[in-house]
Amino acid sequence: MIGLQQVFKSFGLALVGTMHPRMLWLSLRPFLIVSVLWGCLIWLTWTPALEALSIFLTTSVFTSWIQDGLIWAGFENARAWIAPLFFVMLIIPLITISLLVFIAFSTVPAIVNIVAKQSTYQDLECKNGGGLFGSFFYTIWSALICLLLVMLTLPVWWVPPLVAVLPPLLWGWLTMRLMSYDVLAKHASSEERDLLIEKYRWPLLTMGVVSGMLGAVPTFFWATSALALILFPIVSFVALWIYSLIFVFAALWFSHFLLDALKELRQEELDKALTVETRVVDMELPYHG
């Protein structure tokens, strides 16, 4: 029976698989592409964005109290670093979501194909329950919902306990949705996919949250370290590669778990069909008493 034991088993398989050179390359490729795109965007917008944020934080009645409170608490140089800190806090979720979306759309199918070629899953029939456009719209819709939740909860990220709780929950929920859909898109029908996601909702959510907790480590460092502000370009690129590696690990984890669950689901359906057929045959046999 698929359950907690399979969660740990697939975790171990994913951990070993992540160290494979091909998986390391699959984590490096999206990292390089997203790094170049965001690096250019940050380079072009850094100065005007800081100026606009500084004016907003100083003049807005909703945010001026933050700067005044920091100065009152003894941080006299708060004006110098409060705007860069806000900019980093705003840009982190955007970078993370864009990287996860890019990996889900471009890298997960390649990872699923690699896992599916293993002897354990190579007999699985491909029913193509999710196409390219379905995956695209599902990914974009899920990312928009997550981004909205991030924007709504971002003000309370400054509260010490919540900065360690909210990011893992948000990334975990998004990871669960994207990975579950994309892993099953090729091999499962839409009915099988919905059934598996409903049946294993809590194990899948747990896997997503654990992946989110791993991904929250660089987020926590970015949000709390003064060194992250001083060395923002270097730190951001290193953290971005860590994100990418964790998302590749999550794709392997979900692939092993869901393909195994799909295999068992079809075996159960086959056993039920054979049982029903046997009963029908037994009932139709003539009685010679």
Side-chain angles (χ1 to χ4, degrees), residues 39-53:
C40 294
L41 184 61
I42 292 173
W43 182 73
L44 292 173
T45 61
W46 179 264
T47 301
L50 289 186
E51 292 177 355
L53 268 176

Side-chain angles (χ1 to χ4, degrees), residues 6-7 10-11 14 100 108 111-112 115 121 171-184 197 200-212 246-262:
Q6 182 58 23
V7 170
S10 54
F11 178 90
L100 179 54
V108 172
I111 293 176
V112 173
V115 174
Y121 316 112
W171 306 153
W173 176 82
L174 183 60
T175 300
M176 180 198 72
R177 282 179 62 89
L178 298 187
M179 295 299 176
S180 298
Y181 186 96
D182 290 330
V183 166
L184 296 171
I197 293 176
Y200 301 112
R201 175 180 298 175
W202 292 112
L204 292 172
L205 182 59
T206 300
M207 292 163 60
V209 170
V210 171
S211 301
I246 290 171
F247 291 150
V248 167
F249 162 78
L252 280 168
W253 193 5
F254 277 82
S255 296
H256 282 289
F257 182 88
L258 286 170
L259 291 181
D260 200 30
L262 178 60

Side-chain angles (χ1 to χ4, degrees), residues 19 22 24 26 35 44 46 66 72 77 87 94 116 123 145 151 156 167 169-170 177 209 227 255 276 283:
M19 299 298 105
R22 190 171 184 180
L24 294 176
L26 287 175
S35 295
L44 292 173
W46 179 264
I66 298 177
W72 176 83
N77 59 343
F87 184 76
L94 297 177
D123 294 330
I145 294 175
M151 293 298 105
V156 297
L169 290 177
L170 292 173
R177 282 179 62 89
V209 170
L227 183 63
S255 296
V276 171
M283 291 176 63

Side-chain angles (χ1 to χ4, degrees), residues 265-283:
L265 175 65
R266 290 180 179 174
Q267 185 61 47
E268 290 176 354
E269 292 176 348
L270 179 60
D271 292 341
K272 289 180 182 178
L274 291 175
T275 301
V276 171
E277 184 177 347
T278 301
R279 289 178 179 175
V280 172
V281 171
D282 289 340
M283 291 176 63

